[in-house]
Structures are given as structure tokens and as C-alpha cells.
Amino acid sequence: MSASTDTRRTTTPAEIAGEASAAAALANPLPEQQARDASGEAIPLDLTAAAFFDVDNTLMMGASIFHFARGLASRKFFETSDLAGFAWQQLKFRALGKESRQGMHDSRDSALSFVAGRSVAEIVELGEEIYDEMMADRIWPGTRALANMHLDAGQRVWLVTATPVELANIIARRLGLTGALGTVAESENGLYTGRLVGEVLHGPAKAHAVRALAAREGLNLRRCTAYSDSVNDVPMLSVVGTAVAVNPDSDLRDVARRRGWEIRDFRTGRKAAKIGVPSVIGAGAVAGAVAAALSYRRRTT
């Protein structure tokens, strides 16, 4: 009698992160805002199509977690010099071309120090304040118009970002969008435990999150659209029927041209040059760098 083969497959951290992100998005839904036409009539919902938007440098100029870190620095969570230091580290990291797998693991590990023991309510309250101070005027009008186009067609619009889901939800709510898929940090009794669920929502994890949400919501992914600026989001862009490169990096621009994807660029050369570090650093790496700075500050105070 031959031995049977065990065909069970181990679930990857990216899959765990994607499933957790979709579950979190639907567990705390934002208020539904049904679009209306010029006459005030409600636009019928298109229940099988949706749009998915990356945030950093796609919807927002720069990295949302970087702006959040600036807000924390202004509140003396850590020194501005620490912020400058990790910004420089990430500039060098991006200059090498891609975010490495080890870099992502380091980001995940250092993120634990950032949230451990802190109140979820505290982070949300700070996120609300910092959005007004640092982010509201950094939304790309062109990308927001694209999001509104989908809303006006009766489709749901979701953000998909490595940014913590609590901050991502604030951005989505302020813009009148459906909700957000973001990195999920574990919490117990209202306090962060210091553990992430899976890993940072980045690269393949974003694709898993979109698939998981589509399965729960009954979406037809062939009728869905995704938008991003980064080649790291090719997995997400590849799971939908329509992919659009927005303010693309050079690698994504090349991929988009080869695959016939639409390219939208709302930058001018002068503006792109002025944006500087926050717009070129990878979001997943920045999340870890913010956390590392906070962790370092705690150890030395």
C-alpha cells in the first residue's frame, strides 16, 4: 500500500494579511453614501464592479505614513532628527530599485514597537488631527476625480494601502469613499499587542486582500479597476480587468506600456522634483522606518 501524499498548503503571511484586511474592512464599514445625479435622483448601485486605489503617490502626494510620522514628531513622540534620519535611509533604499523581502520583514518587526501597548482610540484620534494638518491638501485632484467617477457610476471605491487600516479608514471616510484595505495590527481590550496579522499589506498581500474582499462582496474582478503608482503593486493591478498606472515609477511605466495599461500622470516635472523624499520612498519600508524611529526614541528616553 503506497503512502498517501499530503497536499495541504501552508497559508502565507501575505494571504493572512489579505484575509485580515478584508475582514477588518467589512467589520467596520463606513457610512454608505449613495451617489446622486444632477437632478438629485439616487444612482443605482453597480454591485459587481468596484475600484481599488493605492494611496501613496497615487491618491496622495507622498507617503501617508510619513505625513503621520511628521505629525507625531510635532507632538514630541520622537525627535525631528529621527524623522530626517529614517527618511534618508528610505531614500537610499528606494534608490537601489526595489523593496527587498528582508526590508519588508524588518519593517514588520519594527512596526511592533510602534504600536505595542498603545490605545487604538489614541491612534485614531491622532490620525484625525494629523489628516487635517498634514494630508488634506496633498490629495491629487486628478486621482480624486477618478475615484468620484466610479462613485458616480454607482460603484464602490476602496483604498488599498500598506498604511495601518485605522489611518486608511480616516482617509477613505474624509474623501467620501467606501472603505479601506490596510495593514492590520492585532489589538486586545482596545490596546495594540505589538503583533501584526500576517504582514504589512504590500505587494502580493494587496492582491490577496482584493481577492478576499471580492469573494465576500460578490464582485466580478474582471469588471473592477485598480490604480497605483508603483511596480510593487503589479500583483494587485493584475487581478482586475482594468489596470491604470497613476503617476507611475519608471518600472511600472514600462510594465504598463508592455501590457497596454492606461497611464495617467498628474505631476509636472517641476512638481515631481519638489515633492522629494516622501513621494519616492516605498510605503511598506516607510511604515517600518517610522516604527524604528519611535522604538529607538523609547529606548533612549
Side-chain angles (χ1 to χ4, degrees):
M1 182 175 180
S2 60
S4 61
T5 302
D6 189 347
T7 59
R8 289 176 297 179
R9 185 177 64 85
T10 302
T11 304
T12 68
E15 290 172 323
I16 295 171
E19 290 285 346
S21 183
L26 297 177
N28 299 289
L30 299 181
E32 190 75 41
Q33 298 184 19
Q34 190 168 7
R36 296 184 178 275
D37 60 24
S39 66
E41 292 293 322
I43 296 172
L45 292 178
D46 185 343
L47 297 178
T48 63
F52 299 94
F53 284 79
D54 171 56
V55 173
D56 300 330
N57 207 35
T58 302
L59 179 66
M60 179 181 295
M61 300 177 194
S64 51
I65 193 69
F66 186 91
H67 300 315
F68 185 57
R70 289 177 59 208
L72 293 179
S74 72
R75 289 160 172 79
K76 307 302 181 184
F77 272 62
F78 53 92
E79 296 296 331
T80 304
S81 58
D82 296 328
L83 184 66
F86 74 70
W88 170 243
Q89 290 176 348
Q90 300 317 308
L91 178 60
K92 292 191 294 183
F93 189 63
R94 179 69 173 185
L96 295 176
K98 297 181 185 293
E99 295 179 355
S100 68
R101 175 57 54 182
Q102 184 59 47
M104 288 305 301
H105 285 310
D106 292 344
S107 297
R108 178 194 62 193
D109 293 341
S110 56
L112 308 182
S113 302
F114 174 33
V115 298
R118 290 194 177 276
S119 162
V120 175
E122 175 193 19
I123 295 300
V124 171
E125 182 179 357
L126 288 170
E128 296 279 3
E129 296 174 3
I130 294 171
Y131 177 86
D132 290 330
E133 296 171 7
M134 304 286 184
M135 303 180 198
D137 62 351
R138 290 181 167 83
I139 302 298
W140 289 106
T143 311
R144 185 170 188 177
L146 291 173
N148 287 337
M149 175 187 72
H150 287 281
L151 292 173
D152 290 343
Q155 297 178 9
R156 291 180 170 86
V157 177
W158 297 87
L159 301 182
V160 190
T161 175
T163 290
V165 67
E166 291 82 6
L167 181 57
N169 270 326
I170 291 170
I171 299 170
R173 178 168 50 79
R174 293 300 189 91
L175 296 178
L177 308 181
T178 307
L181 298 163
T183 297
V184 179
E186 185 182 84
S187 64
E188 293 178 357
N189 300 318
L191 299 177
Y192 290 111
T193 65
R195 296 184 293 271
L196 293 184
V197 181
E199 62 181 19
V200 173
L201 198 73
H202 175 85
K206 286 188 177 182
H208 289 303
V210 168
R211 289 194 188 98
L213 184 73
R216 287 168 165 80
E217 291 287 89
L219 298 174
N220 180 349
L221 284 173
R222 288 179 294 180
R223 299 191 63 236
C224 293
T225 308
Y227 300 81
S228 179
D229 74 295
S230 174
V231 72
N232 293 310
D233 286 340
V234 166
M236 177 181 76
L237 294 168
S238 300
V239 302
V240 296
T242 303
V244 183
V246 177
N247 305 328
D249 59 31
S250 59
D251 287 342
L252 179 58
R253 187 179 293 273
D254 290 342
V255 172
R257 285 172 174 166
R258 289 198 305 269
R259 299 192 182 186
W261 291 347
E262 183 180 354
I263 298 174
R264 296 288 190 101
D265 202 326
F266 301 117
R267 304 166 296 185
T268 64
R270 186 177 180 83
K271 180 180 288 185
K274 285 183 176 179
I275 291 171
V277 171
S279 66
V280 298
I281 47 187
V286 177
V290 172
L294 287 168
S295 176
Y296 173 80
R297 184 63 183 162
R298 285 183 185 172
R299 291 195 301 267
T300 56
T301 55

